[in-house]
Amino acid sequence: MRITKSAIVLSAAALAAGLVGAVPASATADVPGLQITQVGYNAYGPDTIYNRNQEFVDVKADGAAGRAVNVTGLTVADQWGKSHEGADDNPHGCNTYKVTSLPGITPIDGNVLLPAGHTIRVYSGAGTPSVSAGGTVHAVYMDSRCGYHGHIWGNGGDTAWITLGSNSESFAYDFDNGYTVKP
């Protein structure tokens, strides 16, 4: 990940002011109880419709006070999807996924409650929603038909967004010669 001069200056200012937290300069953390923990942005080999599930975003319930988080309506999007949210030029909801249910979780009064420590993994491609053997990773599929063969995460850099109600959180990354990146 490339670090800009402004990020270094901002980090130094935060350190001097005693404001250093767990969130790097390239991320914002404004969705209570949730955090973006990983972005798989670069599929192995050329981008084809067959390897788009190598691209994903992980969103984890941070476990604050051991409480579950109501993720009903949580939206996961890339920068383009976020900037075109509800716009006339995005009638198909390209580059976005909205949580209405999760595998392995029974809604309570219409609310999907993600237990503390559990992760939602949103794949770009198609598939059958599933739960990991340990029961803590809930895999869902965007089934993107947008982007290049359904690959929506920019290999050279992009921003992953999660939005829940009026709260949003983002994680921006640059190409770092890998396949996944963590905040």
Side-chain angles (χ1 to χ4, degrees):
M1 180 181 309
R2 182 178 45 188
I3 299 175
T4 62
K5 288 181 185 177
S6 59
I8 294 170
V9 170
L10 178 62
S11 297
L15 182 60
L19 300 174
V20 175
V23 181
S26 61
T28 62
D30 299 316
V31 179
L34 296 175
Q35 60 183 351
I36 298 168
T37 57
Q38 181 171 227
V39 177
Y41 67 93
N42 188 9
Y44 297 102
D47 290 348
T48 69
I49 196 164
Y50 304 106
N51 68 355
R52 60 191 172 144
N53 280 339
Q54 291 177 15
E55 294 188 359
F56 61 88
V57 173
D58 285 347
V59 179
K60 185 174 185 175
D62 66 14
R67 294 188 186 129
V69 178
N70 183 1
V71 293
T72 307
L74 174 72
T75 301
V76 177
D78 76 339
Q79 183 62 42
W80 189 91
K82 178 68 174 167
S83 65
H84 290 81
E85 192 173 35
D88 291 339
D89 64 346
N90 192 11
H92 304 291
C94 285
N95 302 20
T96 62
Y97 179 83
K98 184 173 271 190
V99 173
T100 56
S101 65
L102 289 175
I105 296 178
T106 303
I108 299 173
D109 296 327
N111 296 314
V112 180
L113 302 175
L114 184 65
H118 284 225
T119 297
I120 302 169
R121 177 167 280 184
V122 181
Y123 288 102
S124 296
T128 302
S130 61
V131 181
S132 67
T136 60
V137 178
H138 307 269
V140 293
Y141 297 83
M142 191 179 286
D143 196 11
S144 177
R145 294 196 168 85
C146 307
Y148 185 72
H149 294 297
H151 292 260
I152 67 164
W153 301 103
N155 291 355
D158 205 340
T159 302
W161 284 90
I162 58 174
T163 303
L164 187 59
S166 61
N167 299 309
S168 290
E169 175 177 329
S170 67
F171 170 61
Y173 64 88
D174 288 332
F175 178 73
D176 72 349
N177 294 317
Y179 297 95
T180 63
V181 64
K182 297 178 180 183

